[in-house]
């Protein structure tokens, strides 16, 4: 069992590196991207940097608590920007999203400075639910307005990948509590194996979404 666990753990570490694939594709397609796709590219770069730093801290036996507080803040900011770009919302909605982001960041800072917990579960839950709701609304918008547009097909792939990733995160976090009560080793094994599969799948979806953009898009959003 220990031998298989080491293999699965190594496979997960390798899968984190697959975030480099969509980043490379985005670099070569960047001149064809409009604002929403550029936000998606930056989001993917954040995932690569976060994953790489997380692995480094893990292998050097350093705490990645700060990283786990910074990452959700960046997620909310970037997803809110993507939502504004796709929906072209009124000024009031922009201010509301900005206010919610500031409030969330304030709670994150407070949690980091005033508790010793790895990260408050209520914060991760709130962030995940918020992001999932925005992703569903954006995906619905793009699907309903889809008319054989390469750009919108790209966004459908990217938004679907982000939604799958967040839904998976919610599901696996819930299951981990059950698994950990039975066996900590089983919990870790299940986490590494499932994360390995979903990380590769979603990164390849995003990479293909970037790849199919070969000319300047004409859509407004």
């Amino acid at each position: 069992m220990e031998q298989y666990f080491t293999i699965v753990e190594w496979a997960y570490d390798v899968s984190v590196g697959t975030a480099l694939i969509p980043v490379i594709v985005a670099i070569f397609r960047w001149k064809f991207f409009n604002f929403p796709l550029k936000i998606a590219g930056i989001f993917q770069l954040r995932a690569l940097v976060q994953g790489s730093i997380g692995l480094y801290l893990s292998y050097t036996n350093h705490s990645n608590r700060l990283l786990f507080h910074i990452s959700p803040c960046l997620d909310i900011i970037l997803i809110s920007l993507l939502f504004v770009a796709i929906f072209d919302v009124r000024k009031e909605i922009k201010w509301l999203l900005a206010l919610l982001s500031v409030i969330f960041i304030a709670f994150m800072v407070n949690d980091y400075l005033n508790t010793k917990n790895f990260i408050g579960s209520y914060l991760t839950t709130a962030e995940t639910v918020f992001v999932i709701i925005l992703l569903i609304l954006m995906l619905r918008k793009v699907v309903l307005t889809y008319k054989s547009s390469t750009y919108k097909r790209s966004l459908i792939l990217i938004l679907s990948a982000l939604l799958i990733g967040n839904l998976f995160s919610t599901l696996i976090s819930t299951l981990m509590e059950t698994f950990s009560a039975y066996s900590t080793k089983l919990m870790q094994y299940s986490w590494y194996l499932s994360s390995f599969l979903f990380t590769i799948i979603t990164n390849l979806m995003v990479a293909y979404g970037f790849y199919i953009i070969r000319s300047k898009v004409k859509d407004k959003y």
Side-chain angles (χ1 to χ4, degrees):
M1 181 70 176
E2 187 66 32
Q3 177 185 0
Y4 292 116
F5 177 78
T6 301
I7 294 174
V8 171
E9 185 179 17
W10 175 82
Y12 168 75
D13 292 346
V14 171
S15 73
V16 171
T18 61
L20 181 62
I21 299 174
V23 170
I24 291 175
V25 176
I27 290 173
F28 283 98
R29 292 288 190 265
W30 189 264
K31 64 181 179 181
F32 302 132
F33 286 2
N34 60 2
F35 187 56
L37 282 177
K38 286 181 178 179
I39 295 174
I42 294 172
F43 190 95
Q44 196 62 35
L45 177 62
R46 179 213 59 84
L48 174 63
V49 172
Q50 175 195 333
S52 301
I53 294 176
L55 286 180
Y56 171 78
L57 293 175
S58 176
Y59 278 105
T60 56
N61 295 317
H62 288 87
S63 172
N64 56 3
R65 182 170 174 262
L66 176 61
L67 186 66
F68 271 79
H69 281 78
I70 292 176
S71 179
C73 297
L74 295 177
D75 282 354
I76 279 189
I77 292 172
L78 291 172
I79 292 297
S80 295
L81 282 173
L82 188 58
F83 182 86
V84 169
I86 289 178
F87 274 89
D88 192 22
V89 296
R90 302 192 312 271
K91 183 171 62 175
E92 293 81 4
I93 302 297
K94 294 179 182 178
W95 280 110
L96 176 60
L97 290 174
L99 178 61
L100 290 174
S101 298
V102 170
I103 291 174
F104 179 79
I105 292 171
F107 273 104
M108 272 291 185
V109 172
N110 178 73
D111 185 80
Y112 180 77
L113 295 177
N114 299 309
T115 70
K116 295 182 179 180
N117 297 329
F118 195 71
I119 188 172
S121 59
Y122 72 96
L123 289 172
T124 55
T125 301
E127 182 263 340
T128 303
V129 170
F130 179 76
V131 168
I132 286 175
I133 291 174
L134 292 192
L135 286 171
I136 290 174
L137 292 175
M138 286 187 284
L139 186 58
R140 179 179 181 275
K141 169 78 171 180
V142 177
V143 169
L144 291 178
T145 57
Y146 174 73
K147 294 180 181 178
S148 301
S149 165
T150 301
Y151 164 65
K152 288 180 180 175
R153 187 160 67 250
S154 171
L155 264 186
I156 289 173
L157 283 166
I158 294 168
L159 292 173
S160 296
L162 295 177
L163 182 58
I164 289 171
N166 279 276
L167 289 174
F168 162 74
S169 177
T170 302
L171 175 63
I172 203 68
S173 296
T174 303
L175 293 177
M176 286 305 97
E177 294 183 7
T178 303
F179 287 166
S180 62
Y182 174 74
S183 168
T184 302
K185 212 66 175 178
L186 176 61
M187 177 198 73
Q188 293 175 329
Y189 186 87
S190 302
W191 164 256
Y192 283 126
L193 181 60
S194 55
S195 295
F196 160 75
L197 295 173
F198 276 90
T199 299
I200 291 179
I201 290 172
T202 53
N203 281 334
L204 291 180
M205 287 176 65
V206 174
Y208 186 69
F210 289 151
Y211 175 77
I212 62 177
I213 300 297
R214 297 172 181 270
S215 60
K216 290 188 179 297
V217 295
K218 300 179 180 179
D219 306 58
K220 182 179 179 182
Y221 56 86

